[in-house]
Amino acid sequence: MRASNSTIVRVSHTTIPLLLALCWQSATAIDFNGRFSMLGATAQAEPGDWGYQTSVGNILSADQQGVRLMLEEGDTASEWSAHLRAVRTHSHGFPVDSPHSSALFRYSDLAGTLLDESDGTTASLIRYEMDRLSYRRHINDYTVTVGRQAIDWGSGRFWQPLNLFGSFAPTDLDTDYKPGIDAVVADYFPSPFSSLTAVYAFAPQDQSIVENSGALHYRRQIGELSEVTLVAGSITGNTVFGGSIESAWEGVGWRLEGVHYLLRETDAQALFWIAGMDYQFENGTLLSAEYYDNSRGAMTEPDLRGMFGDVLVAAGLQQQLSRQLIGVGLAHDITPLLTGGYTVLASTLKEGDGDNGWSLLHQLNLTYSVSNESDLLISLLLPTGSGLTLLDEPQSEFGHIPMSLSVRLRFYF
């Protein structure tokens, strides 16, 4: 957000025709529904946390209201989908959010800003965007989809190396709808248990430094319990290839997933992989664990401080700064209407004395089903580890994140 005291109205020249078309189509659409959500968050920032300012104290707050309108119509031959999303956000003391990776794969914003105000501490934003706008055609064993659509690959529970076009963070609260990207997607189904997908994604029209991207994704089921996936492509100019395998043994589900990068700017090579397992106890509790290793990540504290200038980190394609992490999660239905979840992420870095410095991020979620179409979420985020230096440089993966409490109510209509 910019430091400004004025109200700004910005509407793309392509947005108004799209909205008019959307309104006209809504009268004849077979399926119209929506989602409304309200989120409130408060955080306690201590010295060493980002967002801490002595002038405003250590209590940060934010609230957000969002609505998503969804129109879909289709038959056996074709279908189309349009999602219009509008969000109003007001924050006090929270730092500016990082850019989302979907911005690298959107040819045009298809968005408008109705309000953008900030005085450096308090900020307000009202913005809308066309998050999905696509048409799909079915031809025998083929489908072709053109337009803004979500592409979600990978088998990891916390991290997904195969999600080449971006993924959710392990602690994200809103994972119902992955942001759409502007692409042409062709799917071929050689058998009921296999598929081959080709994607061509378009870079922003006003950024010549970002290249168009393309990828191939092959998936095949082997036997009753195993699945193999292969990927290859060029993502924003970086060559990538990799694969994954999922299976089960003695009641334990396991997975191995990884990609190899050849980075265009430096000609350096990198390997990003995860290994994980799932196990469900007799009482219904689900345990998930995952090991993360990305050779582009930091191994020492000085390395960590240089990661914020990394191109993939800045673009949102690489979410963790450390090279090695561990994620563990527990999920359990406490009552038929109340579900509890606990996640802990652990990172380690070499300190100046050669010892390992640990940083942890704990997340506790409670979700209560208010009705068939609505639920209430309470989420507590508690980090541990070394915070920022006097120069606002990080000393650990999670230590600079303030403790926060979030409450969200959402319902579908």
Side-chain angles (χ1 to χ4, degrees):
M1 300 179 184
R2 286 188 313 279
S4 171
N5 293 314
S6 60
T7 299
I8 301 175
V9 178
R10 298 197 303 272
V11 180
S12 167
H13 70 280
T14 59
T15 303
I16 292 178
L18 285 169
L19 293 177
L20 292 176
L22 183 61
C23 294
W24 179 83
Q25 288 283 2
S26 65
T28 60
I30 292 177
D31 188 9
F32 168 73
N33 51 65
R35 188 193 73 164
F36 177 77
S37 65
M38 298 184 295
L39 172 70
T42 183
Q44 181 176 354
E46 301 292 345
D49 295 341
W50 54 237
Y52 179 81
Q53 300 180 47
T54 55
S55 60
V56 299
N58 61 354
I59 302 299
L60 316 179
S61 63
D63 63 89
Q64 183 183 89
Q65 302 80 41
V67 62
R68 179 182 292 265
L69 303 177
M70 297 169 280
L71 294 172
E72 296 177 351
E73 184 177 10
D75 52 34
T76 57
S78 63
E79 59 191 81
W80 64 267
S81 175
H83 290 202
L84 177 64
R85 176 175 177 265
V87 177
R88 180 257 181 198
T89 302
H90 179 79
S91 63
H92 175 77
F94 272 100
V96 178
D97 290 335
S98 302
H100 195 274
S101 58
S102 61
L104 293 174
F105 312 105
R106 289 187 170 184
Y107 181 76
S108 177
D109 282 343
L110 298 184
T113 300
L114 302 179
L115 175 69
D116 189 351
E117 295 181 346
S118 176
D119 60 8
T121 300
T122 302
S124 298
L125 177 69
I126 300 177
R127 181 175 173 81
Y128 65 87
E129 66 174 359
M130 192 67 71
D131 189 52
R132 307 275 180 91
L133 187 61
S134 63
Y135 174 79
R136 176 173 296 172
R137 184 74 179 180
H138 304 272
I139 307 171
N140 297 325
D141 296 331
Y142 299 86
T143 65
V144 177
T145 309
V146 180
R148 182 159 295 178
Q149 57 196 290
I151 298 177
D152 195 18
W153 296 339
S155 59
R157 305 296 183 263
F158 301 95
W159 305 280
Q160 305 90 38
L162 297 193
N163 239 339
L164 303 181
F165 300 98
S167 60
F168 292 112
T171 55
D172 278 349
L173 298 180
D174 190 359
T175 58
D176 288 349
Y177 300 96
K178 189 177 182 183
I181 65 173
D182 297 336
V184 177
V185 179
D187 295 292
Y188 170 54
F189 303 93
S191 74
F193 307 104
S194 62
S195 64
L196 176 63
T197 301
V199 177
Y200 189 83
F202 296 90
Q205 60 178 332
D206 56 351
Q207 295 190 24
S208 59
I209 61 174
V210 180
E211 298 183 9
N212 293 341
S213 302
L216 291 174
H217 177 274
Y218 177 74
R219 178 192 61 82
R220 180 176 179 81
Q221 182 177 329
I222 300 176
E224 297 183 357
L225 301 176
S226 302
E227 183 175 286
V228 173
T229 302
L230 300 173
V231 297
S234 176
I235 307 299
T236 64
N238 300 315
T239 302
V240 298
F241 61 88
S244 70
I245 181 170
E246 294 181 86
S247 191
W249 180 74
E250 296 294 331
V252 178
W254 59 270
R255 57 194 172 274
L256 183 65
E257 177 179 338
V259 293
H260 181 274
Y261 282 85
L262 177 59
L263 304 178
R264 176 191 59 178
E265 293 188 355
T266 61
D267 287 331
Q269 301 188 47
L271 178 64
F272 173 25
W273 65 278
I274 61 101
M277 56 78 66
D278 299 311
Y279 180 75
Q280 188 166 28
F281 295 93
E282 292 183 358
N283 65 356
T285 300
L286 178 63
L287 168 66
S288 298
E290 211 161 83
Y291 173 78
Y292 166 109
D293 187 287
N294 190 336
S295 63
R296 301 189 70 256
M299 291 289 290
T300 66
E301 288 185 9
D303 293 339
L304 187 75
R305 296 162 194 165
M307 290 300 298
F308 285 98
D310 182 90
V311 60
L312 294 185
V313 172
L317 287 177
Q318 181 175 327
Q319 297 166 339
Q320 310 297 162
L321 305 180
S322 306
R323 171 167 181 168
Q324 296 172 330
L325 293 97
I326 297 174
V328 178
L330 290 170
H332 180 72
D333 292 332
I334 302 172
T335 72
L337 298 179
L338 181 64
T339 300
Y342 169 72
T343 297
V344 58
L345 307 178
S347 163
T348 180
L349 294 170
K350 289 289 185 182
E351 298 177 331
D353 56 7
D355 293 335
N356 288 327
W358 287 91
S359 174
L360 304 176
L361 184 62
H362 304 268
Q363 183 182 50
L364 178 64
N365 292 337
L366 292 174
T367 304
Y368 179 73
S369 179
V370 180
S371 69
N372 290 337
E373 302 296 338
S374 62
D375 60 39
L376 177 68
L377 169 68
I378 300 175
S379 179
L380 176 66
L381 203 63
L382 179 62
T384 64
S386 301
L388 301 175
T389 67
L390 295 177
L391 299 177
D392 288 337
E393 295 177 329
Q395 302 179 87
S396 66
E397 179 81 34
F398 305 116
H400 56 280
I401 301 174
M403 180 180 66
S404 64
L405 177 68
S406 301
V407 179
R408 184 198 65 194
L409 175 66
R410 65 178 176 184
F411 62 86
Y412 290 82
F413 55 88

